[in-house]
Amino acid sequence: SVKTRGKGAYQFYEAKFYNALRERLKKETDIRNAIERDEFVVYYQPRVDVATGVTVSMEALVRWKHPTKGLLEPYDFIVLAEETGLIIGISELVIDKVCAQLASWAKRDATLVPVSVNVSPQHFQHADVAKIVTSALARHRVAPDLIELEITESSVMEGNEISGALSILQRKGIKILVDDFGTGYSSLSQLHRLDFDVLKVDRTFTAEVDRSEQGRVFFTAIVTMAHALGMRVVAEGAERASQMAILKELHCDEVQGFYISRPIPPESEQPVLARHFLPVPE
Ligand code: C2E
Ligand code: MG
Ligand code: MG
Ligand code: MG
């Protein structure tokens, strides 16, 4: 009957629901253990000056060296880590590792470039990011201008904890970058009020610059706005020479993407990393 079929369907969905919940709890426990066992590693992706091809900075990108599943990328664990607050533990490990790495590179080579670290909005809401960053810098004796912070455009909106922490950090010489620009809802007045240093344009826009007239027009508008507000512009996710040529023509300042280099494991020496770029075509 309809009634028993209904019950069967209900039990089916109930089982599915509990399986999904169990999976989620297991993954949460795995991430918690991974933080304790220090299973995270940081890769570095260069960001280069479009006009000169020189590496100006490198982005720290976390990976999870899972004991059985191999090297996991952020899409496998960042969302759950953000939802559960575990992102705070991960980010603190990343900030510490980046400072330790900068200190070790500094011993071997004087020509260091800064490293940018991604910070989630949850981190600003539940912890004192300014204090965590400045104490990591002090612990490893790293100069503040060697660290930059990336915050997503959507977290620009999230209020006072963030703007307070950001101005403390900026006063210490730490640059603040707006990440994934074009995907969130920040207004011109917020961008102006918060006085960011660099605007990283989301790769969905970079993908269009050499594909459509509209893509080109859109990117031009972002560059004009960013320059008017005193920010440098980075194109994220450049993969082709044809994008590089147009980005140069549109006065985009910097570029990051597989065309220049994929994220590089930390075993490499920074001087090698910093030279790891292809010349920008004329
Ligand atoms: P994001 O901050 O926008 O970082 C850029 C992402 O784009 C990286 O992915 C990078 O590998 C990828 N990418 C760079 N160039 C290209 C390209 O030419 N083509 C394509 N298709 N992709 C490119 P990844 O490493 O998987 O990181 C994904 C996201 O995870 C990051 O996006 C960031 O939001 C988050 N994330 C990574 N590391 C951390 C971290 O330490 N803390 C926090 N809170 N979030 C992190
Ligand atoms: Mg980023
Ligand atoms: Mg981004
Ligand atoms: Mg992104």
Side-chain angles (χ1 to χ4, degrees):
S1 73
V2 171
K3 225 175 181 173
T4 52
R5 218 170 47 231
K7 192 169 175 215
Y10 176 73
Q11 282 169 341
F12 175 73
Y13 286 115
E14 194 182 45
K16 261 182 94 161
F17 174 76
Y18 281 111
N19 282 336
L21 192 65
R22 204 174 299 119
E23 287 273 303
R24 199 185 147 88
L25 286 172
K26 170 148 190 343
K27 201 160 177 188
E28 188 181 335
T29 308
D30 282 354
I31 298 175
R32 207 178 292 280
N33 291 337
I35 295 170
E36 262 160 41
R37 295 176 193 149
D38 195 14
E39 290 172 357
F40 295 97
V41 290
V42 179
Y43 276 46
Y44 294 89
Q45 189 182 35
R47 194 173 94 217
V48 308
D49 186 295
V50 172
T52 62
V54 170
T55 301
V56 290
S57 181
M58 289 193 277
E59 180 170 12
L61 295 162
V62 71
R63 270 94 184 97
W64 177 2
K65 255 188 182 153
H66 194 283
T68 56
K69 294 178 188 160
L71 196 69
L72 302 182
E73 300 206 351
Y75 67 85
D76 257 342
F77 58 91
I78 287 282
V79 171
L80 186 60
E82 286 183 335
E83 287 170 2
T84 54
L86 291 169
I87 190 66
I88 294 175
I90 297 175
S91 285
E92 283 167 19
L93 281 179
V94 169
I95 290 165
D96 190 73
K97 281 178 198 302
V98 166
C99 290
Q101 187 65 263
L102 280 163
S104 121
W105 283 328
K107 282 194 197 116
R108 281 180 275 161
D109 195 287
T111 58
L112 278 177
V113 301
V115 171
S116 66
V117 177
N118 293 283
V119 186
S120 301
Q122 287 85 348
H123 205 166
F124 285 99
Q125 277 145 20
H126 302 290
D128 189 344
V129 174
K131 200 166 159 191
I132 287 153
V133 171
T134 50
S135 62
L137 289 168
R139 195 160 57 245
H140 296 284
R141 298 171 190 280
V142 171
D145 60 2
L146 286 176
I147 284 280
E148 304 172 333
L149 297 185
E150 301 199 3
I151 65 163
T152 58
E153 190 195 3
S154 33
S155 60
V156 169
M157 301 285 295
E158 305 231 348
N160 294 329
E161 303 98 336
I162 295 194
S163 51
L166 294 185
S167 49
I168 293 172
L169 290 160
Q170 282 180 312
R171 276 198 300 274
K172 293 190 190 294
I174 295 167
K175 284 196 183 117
I176 309 294
L177 287 62
V178 179
D179 205 353
D180 301 345
F181 183 78
T183 60
Y185 302 93
S186 62
S187 67
L188 271 177
S189 67
Q190 277 162 324
L191 286 178
H192 186 55
R193 178 175 59 83
L194 290 168
D195 197 24
F196 297 106
D197 301 285
V198 181
L199 198 69
K200 298 187 82 170
V201 183
D202 192 75
R203 73 163 187 270
T204 51
F205 301 105
T206 307
E208 284 299 311
V209 286
D210 63 340
R211 293 263 152 94
S212 70
E213 182 55 27
Q214 201 191 335
R216 220 180 140 100
V217 167
F218 201 94
F219 209 97
T220 307
I222 298 178
V223 171
T224 305
M225 177 207 70
H227 286 169
L229 293 173
M231 292 182 278
R232 284 175 74 79
V233 184
V234 183
E236 295 192 272
E239 296 177 344
R240 304 177 287 275
S242 54
Q243 289 169 314
M244 297 297 293
I246 293 171
L247 290 168
K248 191 172 185 179
E249 199 183 303
L250 300 185
H251 306 291
C252 176
D253 303 292
E254 297 166 12
V255 66
Q256 185 180 334
F258 295 168
Y259 180 76
I260 311 286
S261 167
R262 294 206 167 237
I264 304 162
E267 298 83 57
S268 320
E269 305 244 334
Q270 196 192 28
V272 178
L273 300 188
R275 267 183 249 115
H276 197 104
F277 62 85
L278 295 172
V280 178
E282 278 309 304

